[in-house]
Amino acid sequence: MDVEVLLTESEIAQEFAEAIEARDLPEKFFYWSALSAQAWTAVSKSPLYQGLVRSWAGLAANPEVIAQFKSPVSVISLGAGDGSRDRLLMEALRAARRAVKYFPVDASQTLIEAACSAAEEADIEVQGIKADISSSVHLLLASDAAESPKVFLMSGNTLGAFDPLDQIKQVAQALHSGDRLIVDGELLCEDTVAAHDTLENKAFAFAPLVGVGITGEDGVLRFEQKRDERHEGLHLITRNFKTERDVRITTLSNEIEIPRGERISLNFNYLYTREAFRWLLSEHGALKIQTEFPSPDGRFVTAVCMK
Ligand SMILES: C[S@@+](CC[C@H](N)C(=O)[O-])C[C@H]1O[C@@H](n2cnc3c(N)ncnc32)[C@H](O)[C@@H]1O
């Protein structure tokens, strides 16, 4: 297995200790441990994400999408996870006789190994890149792994797990003429909070805390829906854990006291109206949207974009 490491495990461990100290855990820690990766896999297979799979399958089955890629095709997946959604497109490219070179980029060692080994089993040439896609330097290094024209993928509402206004600009900067970006977003629905408030999602949100010895009896996990006032139609689900008794945890060599009543901010997901997602990509990110593939359940949309 060939994985280039730009972000080491000891750097992640150091950042995790600092994040716990700051009571604010960014997205990458929710996939770091084997327990977290397993919890994400359960979420990603849950009914909430079934429409998304159909949206990517619809895109992969579209002859006009496939026709625009000449062989060989370099596929760089930002936040690839286990690569299962990426493989829907790559299998369709191979069925259309395109050679594919795959570059899954992810901060999670467990998930990048899963993406690489599944690609190897499918006989796809693969080079993993373990990197932090919120770093503009890592993003540029990862995007330089292949020559243009290349296709960037961002699936599973990965864009919405960062500040999407900053992240889309960084990703757009990595695109050259002839490159494509295929990115999905989760759409705001009436029952969005209820649809997220499941046992799988709770286990996923809680997994990094379990890793430092926090238990369900130490406090309460809350999901909240908020608006991002920077643009109409931008919403987000935030999660936090409020301690109900004093908690003492150990990270690296530090002992950290978290007194009763404190909140630890966990990761979040942006949700968009259809218009806000278009605005984000085309006006804010200065990309042209070529085609959109809404999921049949109306929960997601996947867009093919170019410069
Ligand atoms: C919502 S999951 C989506 C995974 C996959 N694309 C899918 O469709 O199932 C987000 C992915 O981004 C990765 N990730 C989160 N933060 C990251 C960061 N700062 N740098 C690199 N990868 C990150 C996670 O490890 C995870 O695999």
Side-chain angles (χ1 to χ4, degrees), residues 27-28 31 40 44 79-81 85 105-108 111 131-134 155-158 162:
E27 173 77 351
K28 65 172 166 280
Y31 308 83
W40 161 248
S44 130
R85 269 176 272 277
V105 185
D106 208 285
S108 162
L111 290 172
D132 187 335
I133 59 170
S134 66
S155 65
N157 198 20
T158 295
F162 300 93

Side-chain angles (χ1 to χ4, degrees), residues 20-21 23 209 212 214 218 241-249 255-264:
I20 281 277
E21 197 78 75
R23 317 287 194 257
L209 302 180
V212 289
I214 295 178
D218 290 326
F241 181 76
K242 187 173 176 200
T243 49
E244 289 193 325
R245 60 188 186 197
D246 296 347
V247 176
R248 174 188 293 240
I249 59 175
E255 288 245 311
I256 300 174
E257 303 271 356
I258 307 180
R260 175 169 182 239
E262 282 212 12
R263 272 169 208 261
I264 304 175

Side-chain angles (χ1 to χ4, degrees), residues 7 26-32 40 44 49 52 56 77-86 105-108 111 130-135 153-158 161-162 184 204 269:
L7 175 70
E27 173 77 351
K28 65 172 166 280
F29 302 119
F30 291 81
Y31 308 83
W32 182 31
W40 161 248
S44 130
Y49 282 89
L52 182 63
W56 279 84
S77 175
L78 303 173
D82 67 4
S84 51
R85 269 176 272 277
D86 304 344
V105 185
D106 208 285
S108 162
L111 290 172
K130 186 159 176 272
D132 187 335
I133 59 170
S134 66
S135 145
L153 308 182
M154 261 188 126
S155 65
N157 198 20
T158 295
F162 300 93
D184 63 38
F204 167 62
N269 289 102

Side-chain angles (χ1 to χ4, degrees), residues 27 129 152 182 186 222 225 238 258 307:
E27 173 77 351
I129 304 174
F152 292 89
I182 306 182
E186 185 169 349
R222 281 216 183 84
Q225 187 182 333
T238 61
I258 307 180
K307 266 237 153 119

Side-chain angles (χ1 to χ4, degrees), residues 7 42 67 83 105 121 124 134 139-140 153 161 168 219 226 265 282 284:
L7 175 70
V105 185
E121 268 169 40
I124 295 170
S134 66
L139 202 55
L140 281 177
L153 308 182
I168 193 62
K226 295 184 178 161
S265 297
S282 54
H284 185 77

